[in-house]
């Protein structure tokens, strides 16, 4: 049992320039950069993407699906390097120590934004040490209950929680994970008190809710898909601000708790100092890849909604999420690690 957790101007110019170049044609800085890079013909060798998660996970599969097609668009082979551990720091520092030439990319996620508020100090600077390229996809968590609880709507669970403060349990993985913090956010915005029980793995959390030790589990669609499809779990809501195409018949939490939003994302970044033309080339390729029907279909099967962005939009998303999750962490009194 736990309570709450127990769990530069120059860069901005680059981002806006990259975004503007994609939307309104190449601006003068890109013309100069493209001319300078014409001799190098980027890319002319394999491009590595360092992923802070293990092979076979949703993020890993997402990157492989997208970069397979991106390689065709930009004329280069992509190599995925898995570097899990240290809360994503291991992967990020590998990219931070690489040459700023566009041949080593980093996969960041909303978990990267969470890390800024969760740790006293990171060995890398996700805001100033990297330049955004584009999001790959957005995804919501699913709030699901055991069918034996009798809850058919999220409002039912909230009403019960208000009647019996502290009586209901929410199962999540890993203290400080986005799932865990989404539960903290849910308690706060729904104005309820539940016990947030942290489990080591998703299967452990899933077993807990199937046994009714916990009355709600918050995790990814991919993790809960089987139990939802076989009717052992009832999906009460998704965590984004809008209805998810992954579960079109399930309302978002925001339909019951206005303003709630815990949308997650995966995105590609490159080390600061990388030529602007590299960002433009990769972003343009992703803009094409992420609207392809087959890519969208494959990602949707994983619970991911394919979604490209401009570099500027991704920069805004990262900084907004850093502020949001840091506020959740601070309000919950979670000690920095």
């Amino acid at each position: 049992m736990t309570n709450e957790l127990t769990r530069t101007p120059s860069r901005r110019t680059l981002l806006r320039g990259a975004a503007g170049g994609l939307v309104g044609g190449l601006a003068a800085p890109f013309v100069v950069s493209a001319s300078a890079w014409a001799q190098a013909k980027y890319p002319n060798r394999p491009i590595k993407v360092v992923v802070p998660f293990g092979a076979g996970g949703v993020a890993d599969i997402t990157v492989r699906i997208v970069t397979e097609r991106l390689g065709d668009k930009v004329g280069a082979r992509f190599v995925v390097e898995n570097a899990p551990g240290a809360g994503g720091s291991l992967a990020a520092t590998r990219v931070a120590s690489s040459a700023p030439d566009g041949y080593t990319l980093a996969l960041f996620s909303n978990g990267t934004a969470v890390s800024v508020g969760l740790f006293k100090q990171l060995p890398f600077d996700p805001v100033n040490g990297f330049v955004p390229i584009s999001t790959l996809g957005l995804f919501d968590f699913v709030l699901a209950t055991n069918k034996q609880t009798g809850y058919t709507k999220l409002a039912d669970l909230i009403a019960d929680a208000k009647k019996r403060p502290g009586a209901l349990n929410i199962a999540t993985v890993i203290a400080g994970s986005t799932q865990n913090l989404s539960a903290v956010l849910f308690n706060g915005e729904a104005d309820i008190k539940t016990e947030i029980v942290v489990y080591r793995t998703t299967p452990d959390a899933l077993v807990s809710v199937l046994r009714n030790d916990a009355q709600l589990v918050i995790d990814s669609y991919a993790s809960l898909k089987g139990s939802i499809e076989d009717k052992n779990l009832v999906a009460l809501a998704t965590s984004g601000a809008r209805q998810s195409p992954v579960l079109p018949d399930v309302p978002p939490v925001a339909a019951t708790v206005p303003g709630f939003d815990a949308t997650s994302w995966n995105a590609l970044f490159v080390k600061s100092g990388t030529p602007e033309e590299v960002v433009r080339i990769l972003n343009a390729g992703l803009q094409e890849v992420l609207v392809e029907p087959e890519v969208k279909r494959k990602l949707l099967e994983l619970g991911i909604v394919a979604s490209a962005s401009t570099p500027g939009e991704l920069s805004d998303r990262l900084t907004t999420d850093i502020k949001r999750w840091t506020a959740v962490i601070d309000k919950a009194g979670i000690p920095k690690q």
Side-chain angles (χ1 to χ4, degrees):
M1 292 291 177
T2 64
N3 56 28
E4 297 303 336
L5 171 66
T6 331
R7 198 209 179 158
T8 59
S10 58
R11 179 173 179 277
R12 178 64 63 179
T13 300
L14 185 153
L15 292 171
R16 297 307 181 193
L22 289 166
V23 176
L26 295 179
F30 279 135
V31 174
V32 174
S33 181
S35 175
W37 271 73
Q39 296 178 0
K41 295 182 180 179
Y42 175 87
N44 57 20
R45 55 188 172 88
I47 300 170
K48 180 166 59 179
V49 183
V50 186
V51 177
F53 305 102
V58 172
D60 173 73
I61 296 172
T62 297
V63 170
R64 293 177 190 274
I65 290 171
V66 173
T67 56
E68 181 179 5
R69 290 294 298 128
L70 182 59
D72 296 336
K73 296 291 183 183
V74 304
R77 182 170 67 92
F78 282 80
V79 178
V80 177
E81 177 181 294
N82 299 98
S89 293
L90 180 61
T93 52
R94 286 189 186 181
V95 179
S97 62
S98 67
D101 54 12
Y103 288 98
T104 305
L105 310 182
L107 180 80
F108 281 178
S109 68
N110 53 291
T112 307
V114 168
S115 294
V116 176
L118 195 60
F119 293 92
K120 294 177 181 177
Q121 185 174 359
L122 292 174
F124 66 99
D125 184 344
V127 175
N128 298 307
F130 296 83
V131 173
I133 298 172
S134 171
T135 51
L136 302 182
L138 309 177
F139 61 98
D140 295 340
F141 293 119
V142 180
L143 285 72
T145 189
N146 187 321
K147 63 181 181 180
Q148 296 176 1
T149 63
Y151 303 134
T152 58
K153 299 181 294 184
L154 187 63
D156 298 335
L157 182 145
I158 292 174
D160 195 14
K162 286 181 181 293
K163 291 177 183 177
R164 301 188 295 148
L168 304 185
N169 297 330
I170 299 179
T172 76
V173 295
I174 309 172
S177 66
T178 312
Q179 294 97 314
N180 179 244
L181 293 177
S182 294
V184 174
L185 183 66
F186 175 63
N187 269 352
E189 298 203 4
D191 193 24
I192 59 175
K193 180 174 177 53
T194 70
E195 293 292 333
I196 299 174
V197 186
V198 177
Y199 292 87
R200 188 174 62 85
T201 68
T202 290
D204 291 338
L206 181 57
V207 167
S208 143
V209 77
L210 289 174
R211 291 191 311 208
N212 206 28
D213 292 338
Q215 288 67 53
L216 189 71
V217 62
I218 301 179
D219 216 310
S220 68
Y221 169 74
S223 300
L224 305 180
K225 179 180 179 182
S227 295
I228 292 172
E229 289 181 343
D230 65 18
K231 309 297 184 183
N232 285 322
L233 285 184
V234 177
L236 297 179
T238 53
S239 66
R242 299 177 180 81
Q243 202 154 14
S244 171
V246 177
L247 288 170
D249 297 326
V250 178
V253 174
T256 305
V257 183
F260 186 93
D261 182 12
T263 302
S264 296
W265 48 270
N266 289 315
L268 291 181
F269 285 68
V270 71
K271 182 178 179 178
S272 288
T274 299
E276 295 170 349
E277 180 67 0
V278 169
V279 176
R280 189 199 68 81
I281 289 170
L282 295 173
N283 185 287
L286 288 169
Q287 296 284 345
E288 295 181 15
V289 166
L290 290 167
V291 295
E292 293 182 355
E294 185 64 7
V295 170
K296 292 171 67 176
R297 182 190 67 79
K298 288 180 177 179
L299 293 185
L300 201 62
E301 288 179 352
L302 298 172
I304 307 290
V305 178
S307 179
S309 70
T310 67
E313 288 169 342
L314 178 51
S315 175
D316 290 343
R317 180 179 289 277
L318 175 62
T319 54
T320 296
D321 274 10
I322 287 173
K323 292 178 182 177
R324 171 187 297 159
W325 292 117
T326 297
V328 171
I329 291 166
D330 290 345
K331 185 175 180 179
I334 297 170
K336 293 186 181 295
Q337 302 177 27

